[in-house]
Amino acid sequence: MTEQQADHQLWIEKYRPQTFAEVKGHTEITKRLQAFVEQKNIPHLLFSGPAGVGKTTLSLIIAKTLFGDNWHHNFLELNASDSRGIEVIRETVKDFARTKALGTELPKIILLDECDALTKEAQQALRRTMETYTRTARFILSANFSSKIIDPIQSRCTIFRFKPLSQEDIKNIIMNISKREGLKIDDKTIAAVSTVSKGDARRAENILQSCSAISKTITEKLVYEIVSAAHPEEMKEVLQLAVQGSFIQARDKLLDVMLKHGLSGEEIVKQIQETVWDLSITDQAKMQLIEKCGEIEFRMVEGSDEFIQLEALLASFVLAKK
Ligand SMILES: Nc1ncnc2c1ncn2[C@@H]1O[C@H](COP(=O)(O)OP(=O)(O)O)[C@@H](O)[C@H]1O
Ligand SMILES: [Mg+2]
């Protein structure tokens, strides 16, 4: 890799742990997974938990440790929220699982990310696929909430519940990257990045990389600027579209903002709530919307589908004007 390419590399990839030992936190989970790999006996796995804590990373480490240099041939990563649907997933799995793994007698590994995006019917189809190829392939399913996965799949998997990383783990990740990238960052700023990341290493690394594009000296002020940069304005635009009745436009714009800044549904609701005050609607409408935000946030924490909840919230903004 040339220096310039390396320069443009995303830190979340550049600093993705390559071995079990490099993974921060999740001590018990890592130990058990490592044992599966040592015994060369991997069951179907279900990784549930929040974003950016190492679910994909550990799946890759399992494949790399099991298959060595051939890992690429024997590992398939798919996203269940792929809009082309479960049929495409099944076809892809079929093509992949049909042939023997390269350089090993072991089953291949298929990582299916975001399984909670699948409908119950699609999950039934997935379950049948898992059964059909159980001799030639092992599935690692990942989901934010295991409760959204149907019982017949859960009962076929060994379930691992990931928690957000501790502040200590996030701080260590930040310090390591800062050292390797030659950043100047003090303890208070490290604590700030750690706080706003809420246990999500991907977010911590992305914030750090965004800051470093502006200055190699990272300050607390810069961190908060990056984290909140443009959000209030962008969010205001979304909500204004909604109160003007342009629901579809508002929804598309909201999705844009979410993806661009890597925000979770809960973070979006908090930002929406803060922005309500800036809208030109009656005070009473504002109060109702604030209350609605609270309700939606509660449902998300309870594990309800984030997009459906955000759409419902936007719908109440459309209705607020009337
Ligand atoms: N436990 C961890 N230890 C060290 N780095 C981590 C850990 N979890 C996540 N990261 C960092 O965040 C990035 C994204 O993690 P990933 O495994 O893709 O998260 P997810 O749980 O959403 O699948 C990784 O490439 C790595 O840089
Ligand atoms: Mg992932």
Side-chain angles (χ1 to χ4, degrees), residues 281-299:
I281 48 177
T282 65
D283 278 354
Q284 188 175 2
K286 285 180 190 172
M287 301 306 275
Q288 279 168 359
L289 289 174
I290 299 263
E291 197 190 335
K292 190 79 189 166
C293 285
E295 183 190 323
I296 296 285
E297 196 209 15
F298 177 75
R299 288 198 206 145

Side-chain angles (χ1 to χ4, degrees), residues 18-69:
Q18 301 296 320
T19 62
F20 285 112
E22 285 168 35
V23 174
K24 297 270 186 296
H26 315 308
T27 328
E28 285 308 311
I29 294 178
T30 307
K31 222 162 54 189
R32 286 184 62 197
L33 292 177
Q34 205 164 359
F36 286 144
V37 171
E38 274 158 17
Q39 290 151 16
K40 297 198 182 297
N41 184 9
I42 315 284
H44 294 309
L45 302 172
L46 172 58
F47 289 172
S48 79
V53 299
K55 299 186 299 299
T56 299
T57 302
L58 274 163
S59 309
L60 287 165
I61 292 173
I62 290 173
K64 286 171 189 168
T65 320
L66 268 184
F67 304 129
D69 288 343

Side-chain angles (χ1 to χ4, degrees), residues 135-266:
R135 225 169 32 82
T136 45
R138 289 292 177 279
F139 284 79
I140 303 179
L141 310 179
S142 100
N144 288 133
F145 305 99
S146 63
S147 57
K148 287 202 220 158
I149 304 299
I150 57 171
D151 286 340
I153 289 186
Q154 287 200 39
S155 64
R156 279 168 178 75
C157 294
T158 305
I159 305 179
F160 290 92
R161 296 177 208 284
F162 287 73
K163 300 223 165 56
L165 288 166
S166 71
Q167 299 276 308
E168 214 41 49
D169 289 329
I170 297 280
K171 279 181 195 168
N172 284 331
I173 291 172
I174 298 168
M175 286 194 292
N176 173 46
I177 295 183
S178 300
K179 200 166 130 204
R180 304 241 321 248
E181 297 291 333
L183 306 178
K184 275 177 86 176
I185 184 166
D186 60 20
D187 289 348
K188 236 173 90 185
T189 309
I190 292 174
V193 179
S194 164
T195 306
V196 295
S197 311
K198 300 197 190 85
D200 176 342
R202 180 189 288 117
R203 187 152 158 75
E205 293 174 3
N206 280 338
I207 293 170
L208 213 56
Q209 187 167 19
S210 302
C211 288
S212 88
I214 296 173
S215 161
K216 294 291 166 203
T217 303
I218 318 279
T219 61
E220 215 179 343
K221 182 162 169 284
L222 181 56
V223 170
Y224 284 114
E225 263 169 31
I226 290 287
V227 171
S228 62
H231 295 179
E233 271 320 302
E234 285 171 310
M235 203 52 84
K236 198 169 160 190
E237 224 180 290
V238 170
L239 298 186
Q240 255 154 5
L241 282 168
V243 292
Q244 283 157 17
S246 309
F247 178 73
I248 301 290
Q249 269 174 289
R251 191 194 58 190
D252 290 351
K253 173 91 192 158
L254 181 65
L255 205 62
D256 248 23
V257 175
M258 266 181 96
L259 295 178
K260 191 162 108 199
H261 299 287
L263 296 170
S264 71
E266 282 168 53

